[in-house]
């Protein structure tokens, strides 16, 4: 068992993959917890696709892709808010339009500018190809976001559950909104190398949603979600190493399996452990047993 655990660590690319996997596993559920309680889970996926035009432009001009991706992601978030404020269009429709438009623009720019971007790596991640520079960048983003959440936890909590009340007491809700969008964009950028933009929504939502079924408080949800995220990341990387399957999808599948287990067996919300469900199953089994044991009536 010890050899099974230590063998992958003899390779530098595996050590780098586990390091960035742990960082992403902690960061994504913390941010994703806010998305879940605000019922904006798909926003992470929208922002993930909005970064593609900025990524393409940055690559063409030889600028750090973080700058272009960050600006493009914020532009997408601003467009969603502007459409909502200037029309009767609901948020889901605004997100769908922005999602498709930015993604189409990004693919077009890649073709027109003849950028040699590895789309497979961008879409599905390449965690086994991360460098020390990627780890340093992700570490800085992770520490920065966790520090912001720690410092402004009460304000974010109030804004999350009662935006009208937050506005009434004088909190700058517009600043908080765009700050939150910036946080999501940075989280997506930090996670792109690990799982790619298509699968990043699963890391944002999966571990946090699993924790949501197990605990009741937001801070507990973020803490437990981070633990689940790290477990899913490390386990997925090991499965990828030993069974030769893509690392990003392996991480996501482990996260999904953990969610299914929580959905079935959560002490308070599990399908199979709820008192009414357990009682129903017991009654059905008892009824079946009684019918089987009942003697045949005389002819």
């Amino acid at each position: 068992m010890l050899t099974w655990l230590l063998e992958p660590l003899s390779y530098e690319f595996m050590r780098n993959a586990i390091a960035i996997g742990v960082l992403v596993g902690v960061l994504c559920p913390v941010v994703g917890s806010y998305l879940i309680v605000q019922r904006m889970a798909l926003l992470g996926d929208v922002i993930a696709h909005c970064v593609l035009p900025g990524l393409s432009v940055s690559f063409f001009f030889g600028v750090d892709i973080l700058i272009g991706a960050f600006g493009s992601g914020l532009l997408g978030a601003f467009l969603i808010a502007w459409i909502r404020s200037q029309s009767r269009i609901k948020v889901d429709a605004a997100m769908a339009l922005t999602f498709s438009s930015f993604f189409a623009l990004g693919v077009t720019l890649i073709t027109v500018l003849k950028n040699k971007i590895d789309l497979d790596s961008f879409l599905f991640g390449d965690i086994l190809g991360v460098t020390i520079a990627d780890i340093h960048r992700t570490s800085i983003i992770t520490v920065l976001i966790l520090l912001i959440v720690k410092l402004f936890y009460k304000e974010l909590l109030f804004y999350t559950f009662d935006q009208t009340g937050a506005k009434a007491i004088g909190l700058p809700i517009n600043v908080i909104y765009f700050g939150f969008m910036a946080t999501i964009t940075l989280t997506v950028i930090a996670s792109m190398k690990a799982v790619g933009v298509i699968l990043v929504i699963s890391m944002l939502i999966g571990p946090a949603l699993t924790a949501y079924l197990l605990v009741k408080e937001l801070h507990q949800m973020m803490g437990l979600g981070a633990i689940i995220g790290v477990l899913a990341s490390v386990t997925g990387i090991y499965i990828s190493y030993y069974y030769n399957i893509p690392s990003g999808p392996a991480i996501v599948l482990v996260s999904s399996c953990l969610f299914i287990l929580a959905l079935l067996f959560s002490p308070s919300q599990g399908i199979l452990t709820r008192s009414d469900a357990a009682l129903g199953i017991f009654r059905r089994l008892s009824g079946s047993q009684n019918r089987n044991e009942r003697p045949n009536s005389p002819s």
Side-chain angles (χ1 to χ4, degrees), residues 225-246:
I227 295 173
I228 295 171
V230 170
L231 177 63
S233 296
V234 175
T235 304
I237 292 170
Y238 270 87
I239 291 175
S240 172
Y241 176 82
Y242 282 108
Y243 294 97
N244 194 28
I245 60 177

Side-chain angles (χ1 to χ4, degrees), residues 6-260:
L6 294 180
E7 179 184 334
L9 300 179
S10 61
Y11 300 98
E12 182 180 6
F13 72 92
M14 284 297 294
R15 294 195 298 269
N16 292 343
I18 291 174
I20 202 167
V22 169
L23 292 171
V24 170
V26 171
L27 176 61
C28 285
V30 171
V31 176
S33 296
Y34 286 105
L35 288 173
I36 290 172
V37 296
Q38 291 185 38
R39 300 182 181 180
M40 298 281 285
L42 287 179
L43 184 60
D45 198 29
V46 174
I47 299 298
H49 287 78
C50 284
V51 304
L52 184 55
L55 191 75
S56 178
V57 172
S58 295
F59 192 87
F60 178 77
F61 287 105
V63 182
D64 190 340
I65 61 173
L66 176 62
I67 299 174
F70 182 71
S72 184
L74 281 185
L75 181 60
F78 174 79
L79 182 60
I80 294 171
W82 182 75
I83 292 174
R84 289 180 62 191
S85 64
Q86 300 297 320
S87 68
R88 296 184 299 169
I89 296 175
K90 301 298 183 182
V91 63
D92 57 340
M95 287 194 297
L97 177 65
T98 305
F99 169 99
S100 56
S101 300
F102 271 71
F103 191 67
L105 177 61
V107 174
T108 302
L109 287 174
I110 290 175
T111 304
V112 171
L113 300 178
K114 296 180 172 56
N115 289 331
K116 296 181 179 179
I117 297 178
D118 185 0
L119 273 181
D120 286 341
S121 176
F122 172 75
L123 295 176
F124 303 107
D126 184 21
I127 195 171
L128 298 182
V130 299
T131 63
I132 296 297
D134 295 323
I135 295 174
H136 289 164
R137 174 181 295 174
T138 304
S139 300
I140 293 171
I141 294 174
T142 301
V143 171
L144 177 63
I145 292 177
L146 293 180
L147 184 61
I148 291 173
V149 170
K150 175 66 175 178
L151 293 176
F152 300 101
Y153 177 76
K154 292 182 179 179
E155 290 80 3
L156 289 171
L157 185 67
F158 200 178
Y159 171 83
T160 297
F161 289 101
D162 187 3
Q163 294 186 19
T164 303
K167 184 177 181 180
I169 67 170
L171 288 180
I173 59 172
N174 290 331
V175 174
I176 294 176
Y177 172 78
F178 284 106
F180 187 55
M181 294 304 105
T183 298
I184 297 172
T185 305
L186 285 174
T187 302
V188 168
I189 293 170
S191 308
M192 281 194 306
K193 195 70 174 180
V195 293
V197 297
I198 288 182
L199 302 177
V200 70
I201 185 63
S202 180
M203 285 304 292
L204 274 168
I205 302 303
L209 206 57
T210 303
Y212 180 77
L213 295 175
L214 299 173
V215 296
K216 296 181 178 179
E217 301 292 336
L218 180 61
H219 66 279
Q220 296 173 346
M221 181 178 170
M222 291 190 291
L224 181 58
I227 295 173
I228 295 171
V230 170
L231 177 63
S233 296
V234 175
T235 304
I237 292 170
Y238 270 87
I239 291 175
S240 172
Y241 176 82
Y242 282 108
Y243 294 97
N244 194 28
I245 60 177
S247 302
I251 293 171
V252 170
L253 288 175
V254 172
S255 175
S256 300
C257 289
L258 293 175
F259 169 75
I260 295 297

